[in-house]
Amino acid sequence: MSVKRLAVVTVLAGAGLVLATYFAVVASPPAAAQVRPYTPPQSQKGADWTERIGELLPLGVETRAEATERVVNYKPDPVKYPVPRTPWDGKPDFSGVYWPDATIAPPPVPLESLYRPEAREYREGGGAARGLIDWRGIDTPNYHCWPPSPVNGSMGGTIQLVSAPGYLLLLNEGSSNFRIIPIVGENGRRPSAARRPSFQGSSVGHWEGDTLVIDVTNFNGKPWLGPARPPNQLPQTSSDALRIVERWSRPDAQVFEYRLVVEDQKMLTAPWTGATERRGIMPYDTVLESLCFLDPELDARHRDYAAQQAAKKGAAAR
Amino acid sequence: MSKRTLTLVIGAVIVGGALWVGLRRGANENSAANGTPTPVSPTSWGEPDLTGVWKGEALGASTERDSFNLTTLEGLYKPEARARMQKMSTKDDPSLRCAPPAFPRAAMLGHAVQIIQRPGFAYVFTEAYPVFRIIPTTGRPHTAEQYLYPTYMGDSTARWEGDTLVVDVNSFNGEGWLAGPLDKPTSASTGIWLTSPVMHVVERWRRIDADTLEYQARVEDPEMLTVPWETPTVTLKRQPVETIEEALCRPEDGPDTYLARLGS
């Protein structure tokens, strides 16, 4: 390499480093400019006001359905919106707040079709939630502060991803659950054998090109992979043999995509390929605190609602 | 600039960099050999590196021992706050129904804390309760008032003062307690440690060496306390794990589990 070329390369590399540092440190997205949770006017509150929430949103705010349609129809454009890359290893930088979760390719076969017939009795009882979750009523794992299903990456509605050296972080808004995902690097990270089995499992990621592949094992056998829909859809229970391989990618700066394969030899007859999900980025750099805990007021409302539903069902039956 | 000058400049940068790396590595090896604390390398973008899983001893107070300066705190409560506390029960501690204790109380529980950094941010996770904090480290202002709402963990912003991360926290919801129901430093203690929504906390996080992190906080709460309260410096030791454990706080676990988390 000639001296001139070496000088040019050095100057360009320096300028690149300065710019990368500037964008990473100084020009971070605007402080949490969140839209406040919408509360309808008192006069519009009623038993069924939540069903009309789409009509009641202020002008200019997308409903969930509108946002989902926008994200599904979006065509990633890495030329116009280049994939952001981390200054420390040049890999795709997933950092951002994302919403909503949109399915861009459905699962090839329904998860239900792969459940072992002999698991039926276990599922009827709610699996590991036997005696705790009355799935034939309106009770759900969500109400008991269980993390979101691992089939959705344990992601709730609005999530924040953070790329950090050696880690991907997943922060949930809507519950305070989080995942800390070590990425195999020079240290050859592996999940600690001392870690207790858990709802969200133990994750370890590695890069295959620009795709982050995450192997999740060491589950505690409790999560439901999908919701129950009484009377016919049984809880989609899991076992301690659950293993999930996730593939995370960033087609451009506007979205990230997520797909996965689920194995559970005690529950399923074959590995199941899940839907391909896509989420759109939002102009914030923090999710908000939103916790799940036993709130006596919420508990009372939950019980009131259950009683109302039971009364409605009773009236319909008469 | 001539080719020769350019070559000289680039050469000087390369030689200087190599010398700096060599001297630094030599210094690290020397200090490890003679038993002095090992200096900590900064992050690749030049900030002090707080990354790791850290754990301190469970701290608290009884009439025999006070390891969290709670005797002082108890004496700082205003008469009207004391009157309120006399009417309450230790069962009113919101942590008993899975509300996360904020820092500094979270630092006295004796459970692991994990810190991960990226340029401009530090993220703090606690094993005692499933909760995270997002802390901007560029000294930017707090979240604008119109978007701010009160929370258990508060709104944080931080700046580096030398090798110390100084975190300013406000916008608490006034429901958290500063210590637990089992902390009773005097025979007259109620075990109730109220806060108010005007509480303001300034924390200092400092990496001492490869295996040690120090934490200290100053708590101002003019509605509750006559003057600010200072916690002692809490020493946290590095844990040889990649991540903290998943620690859910679920109603079905019952109060025994919550009390176990509180170090009883």
Side-chain angles (χ1 to χ4, degrees):
Chain A
M1 187 183 283
S2 72
V3 171
K4 191 172 181 184
R5 185 170 290 181
L6 182 63
V8 168
V9 168
T10 307
V11 168
L12 283 177
L17 190 64
V18 168
L19 278 176
T21 308
Y22 173 79
F23 282 112
V25 178
V26 181
S28 54
Q34 301 280 20
V35 177
R36 287 192 149 191
Y38 179 67
T39 307
Q42 201 62 34
S43 61
Q44 292 175 320
K45 276 190 179 175
D48 296 324
W49 72 269
T50 50
E51 292 171 13
R52 296 182 52 222
I53 198 163
E55 301 166 37
L56 300 171
L57 283 170
L59 285 175
V61 176
E62 279 182 309
T63 63
R64 184 185 186 86
E66 288 166 349
T68 303
E69 188 181 352
R70 172 174 56 80
V71 172
V72 167
N73 294 327
Y74 178 71
K75 306 283 183 230
D77 185 347
V79 175
K80 190 173 180 185
Y81 304 108
V83 177
R85 292 183 179 274
T86 66
W88 53 87
D89 65 4
K91 292 294 184 184
D93 188 341
F94 283 91
S95 300
V97 174
Y98 297 88
W99 176 85
D101 51 328
T103 299
I104 56 172
V109 298
L111 173 62
E112 186 61 35
S113 67
L114 297 180
Y115 266 93
R116 291 182 179 277
E118 59 268 33
R120 183 171 183 88
E121 190 182 339
Y122 182 73
R123 297 173 62 196
E124 288 268 8
R130 175 183 282 276
L132 172 70
I133 298 178
D134 173 20
W135 68 271
R136 293 190 188 278
I138 61 163
D139 213 356
T140 66
N142 187 41
Y143 176 65
H144 292 265
C145 294
W146 286 18
S149 165
V151 165
N152 294 323
S154 303
M155 288 183 269
T158 304
I159 59 143
Q160 178 169 5
L161 298 180
V162 177
S163 291
Y167 292 95
L168 177 70
L169 309 178
L170 165 61
L171 314 176
N172 268 309
E173 190 176 86
S175 70
S176 54
N177 296 118
F178 54 83
R179 285 173 68 191
I180 300 174
I181 301 162
I183 300 172
V184 171
E186 292 175 3
N187 299 332
R189 289 187 167 95
R190 288 286 181 275
S192 164
R195 200 176 149 86
R196 292 191 296 266
S198 61
F199 279 88
Q200 298 176 112
S202 299
S203 299
V204 65
H206 71 272
W207 289 102
E208 290 183 5
D210 278 352
T211 300
L212 184 61
V213 181
I214 302 175
D215 195 357
V216 199
T217 55
N218 203 21
F219 287 97
N220 61 10
K222 292 185 178 180
W224 290 5
L225 305 181
R229 292 194 179 84
N232 297 323
Q233 170 66 65
L234 300 178
Q236 294 181 315
T237 54
S238 65
S239 80
D240 56 3
L242 179 64
R243 177 188 177 203
I244 297 180
V245 178
E246 306 171 312
R247 300 181 73 83
W248 299 65
S249 60
R250 192 91 205 263
D252 73 8
Q254 301 293 314
V255 294
F256 86 85
E257 290 179 4
Y258 170 87
R259 63 199 75 192
L260 83 171
V261 175
V262 176
E263 294 173 19
D264 190 337
Q265 292 179 355
K266 293 182 183 174
M267 290 287 150
L268 307 178
T269 53
W272 177 68
T273 300
T276 301
E277 303 280 346
R278 179 191 285 164
R279 291 183 186 230
I281 200 159
M282 303 187 76
Y284 316 128
D285 60 9
T286 57
V287 284
L288 301 176
E289 180 181 293
S290 175
L291 306 173
C292 187
F293 58 88
L294 182 60
D295 178 342
E297 193 188 321
L298 179 68
D299 192 43
R301 287 211 305 271
H302 183 83
R303 289 177 197 287
D304 283 351
Y305 183 73
Q308 282 172 20
Q309 294 300 104
K312 272 188 190 174
K313 278 183 191 168
R318 282 195 297 275
Chain B
M1 192 181 287
S2 70
K3 279 183 187 176
R4 176 166 296 194
T5 315
L6 263 178
T7 311
L8 279 172
V9 168
I10 292 165
V13 167
I14 291 169
V15 171
L19 270 174
W20 183 78
V21 169
L23 286 172
R24 203 173 168 80
R25 182 169 293 177
N28 287 355
E29 282 167 2
N30 286 342
S31 58
N34 63 24
T36 55
T38 311
V40 183
S41 300
T43 60
S44 60
W45 56 95
E47 288 180 341
D49 192 354
L50 307 182
T51 298
V53 177
W54 307 96
K55 189 174 177 180
E57 287 179 24
L59 305 174
S62 65
T63 49
E64 285 82 40
R65 182 169 176 268
D66 177 4
S67 54
F68 206 56
N69 203 17
L70 293 174
T71 314
T72 304
L73 174 61
E74 190 167 84
L76 298 180
Y77 273 99
K78 289 182 166 179
E80 51 271 35
R82 288 172 194 275
R84 267 185 64 193
M85 294 192 291
Q86 289 295 342
K87 293 176 189 166
M88 295 177 67
S89 156
T90 49
K91 290 179 183 169
D92 294 326
D93 179 359
S95 298
L96 298 182
R97 53 182 175 85
C98 293
F103 285 87
R105 184 180 173 191
M108 66 178 276
L109 297 177
H111 288 273
V113 171
Q114 182 158 12
I115 303 176
I116 292 175
Q117 283 168 256
R118 64 168 272 136
F121 285 93
Y123 303 85
V124 178
F125 303 86
T126 60
E127 194 174 272
Y129 283 75
V131 72
F132 53 82
R133 293 175 66 189
I134 301 171
I135 304 176
T137 56
T138 52
R140 78 184 194 189
H142 275 285
T143 304
E145 199 171 332
Q146 77 226 59
Y147 303 123
L148 202 55
Y149 73 102
T151 57
Y152 279 95
M153 303 305 281
D155 184 72
S156 298
T157 187
R159 65 184 190 282
W160 293 100
E161 282 184 5
D163 57 357
T164 302
L165 185 66
V166 181
V167 189
D168 192 281
V169 199
N170 66 12
S171 192
F172 290 98
N173 63 11
E175 292 185 26
W177 288 14
L178 287 170
L182 303 171
D183 294 312
K184 297 183 177 180
T186 67
S187 54
S189 299
T190 58
I192 296 165
W193 306 91
L194 295 183
T195 62
S196 86
V198 300
M199 181 165 75
H200 172 225
V201 176
V202 179
E203 304 171 288
R204 302 178 73 82
W205 299 79
R206 181 170 171 243
R207 181 89 176 263
I208 301 300
D209 60 36
D211 296 321
T212 314
L213 183 73
E214 280 186 354
Y215 173 88
Q216 197 274 332
R218 172 189 169 93
V219 178
E220 296 172 3
D221 191 340
E223 272 190 20
M224 290 286 160
L225 307 178
T226 50
V227 294
W229 170 62
E230 299 273 352
T231 73
T233 297
V234 179
T235 301
L236 303 149
K237 286 294 181 184
R238 174 182 284 283
Q239 305 298 301
V241 293
E242 284 287 351
T243 65
I244 55 175
E245 298 276 353
E246 177 183 277
L248 302 186
C249 191
R250 294 168 302 145
E252 64 260 29
D253 290 335
D256 290 347
T257 307
Y258 311 153
L259 288 173
R261 289 176 196 280
L262 295 172
S264 64

